[in-house]
Amino acid sequence: MKVGFMGGTFDPIHYGHLLAAESAREACGLDEVWFVPAGHPPLKENGPLADGPTRLEMVYRAIDFQPHFRAMDVELDREGTSFTIDTIKELNEQYPGREFSIIIGSDRVNDLPKWHNIEELAKLVRFIGVTRGGEDMEVDQLPEYIKDKLTVVKMPLFELSSTVIKERIAEGRSIRFLVPEKVYSFIRRNELYEI
């Protein structure tokens, strides 16, 4: 089984995440995409605003309509920094026979050499770099061991980020149609991201 691993804070999850996952699934022939909310991501200076169970609940609500998407809580109970290599090793033990590909946005591809134990990780997975619209992905600076395992997938142009959503909420502006309706209702009901 081919599985796309999509990690992130998902603070909150939005249509850009879902579009990237579906684009990667379709282009790379993935059987499933697993959304893994990060516990304590190493490359984010500020931690997530919403706690782990809240972010996981938003992921469940966002993907409940898509049979090829799953939410995994594997990083949320882990103490300390959430390194992808540790998560992949754990998933390989729990789910033998899966072939994992890590789905990342084009803005994060050039950060791959900074990832913890990246050379070991590259032996265990493939990488799927998702670009937005006409954007090109610059991969010339990447080491060969990453370039050899990288597939570039283009998704339709869709400019959206969790930061923009949180800013809109803080400013009292609408986020309807930027996130799935069940996520929108959950955020409103729980007054998330309001200042």
Side-chain angles (χ1 to χ4, degrees):
M1 177 181 273
K2 293 182 177 181
V3 176
F5 172 99
M6 192 158 178
T9 53
F10 303 119
D11 190 29
I13 190 167
H14 53 72
Y15 280 123
H17 295 126
L18 301 177
L19 183 58
E22 182 65 6
S23 297
R25 188 187 71 78
E26 183 179 60
C28 297
L30 303 174
D31 297 297
E32 293 184 340
V33 175
W34 295 1
F35 290 79
V36 183
H40 305 283
L43 295 179
K44 289 252 185 180
E45 290 180 21
N46 300 319
L49 295 180
D51 63 25
T54 299
R55 292 181 288 117
L56 181 65
E57 181 63 28
M58 287 189 283
V59 171
Y60 278 125
R61 289 168 183 271
I63 67 172
D64 72 347
F65 67 94
Q66 171 46 287
H68 301 289
F69 291 175
R70 289 178 62 185
M72 306 295 283
D73 65 355
V74 64
E75 289 192 2
L76 295 179
D77 294 331
R78 188 181 303 146
E79 294 292 321
T81 304
S82 297
F83 292 113
T84 303
I85 183 72
D86 299 331
T87 305
I88 291 295
K89 285 179 177 178
E90 186 175 336
L91 291 174
N92 277 333
E93 286 179 21
Q94 291 179 12
Y95 304 95
R98 297 329 193 261
E99 179 184 314
F100 289 100
S101 295
I102 296 175
I103 302 169
I104 52 177
S106 59
D107 57 333
R108 305 302 296 194
V109 168
N110 286 312
D111 288 339
L112 282 171
K114 299 176 188 174
W115 285 26
H116 184 71
N117 289 346
I118 185 61
E119 290 185 44
E120 182 181 2
L121 181 62
K123 292 175 185 172
L124 299 174
V125 300
R126 297 197 56 77
F127 301 100
I128 301 171
V130 180
T131 67
R132 297 177 183 115
E135 173 183 79
D136 287 324
M137 190 176 300
E138 297 293 327
V139 298
D140 295 340
Q141 306 299 323
L142 291 174
E144 289 300 319
Y145 68 87
I146 293 176
K147 281 197 275 192
D148 291 344
K149 303 287 284 283
L150 177 66
T151 300
V152 176
V153 171
K154 291 191 178 204
M155 72 177 206
L157 182 61
F158 196 83
E159 289 296 323
L160 185 61
S161 71
S162 296
T163 300
V164 167
I165 290 169
K166 288 182 279 204
E167 287 172 355
R168 289 181 68 90
I169 293 170
E171 294 167 0
R173 298 169 64 202
S174 175
I175 61 161
R176 180 162 257 146
F177 309 119
L178 299 179
V179 297
E181 186 62 29
K182 289 182 179 182
V183 174
Y184 172 80
S185 299
F186 183 82
I187 289 171
R188 294 279 310 237
R189 185 172 51 256
N190 292 284
E191 299 177 348
L192 297 176
Y193 311 116
E194 294 179 5
I195 294 180

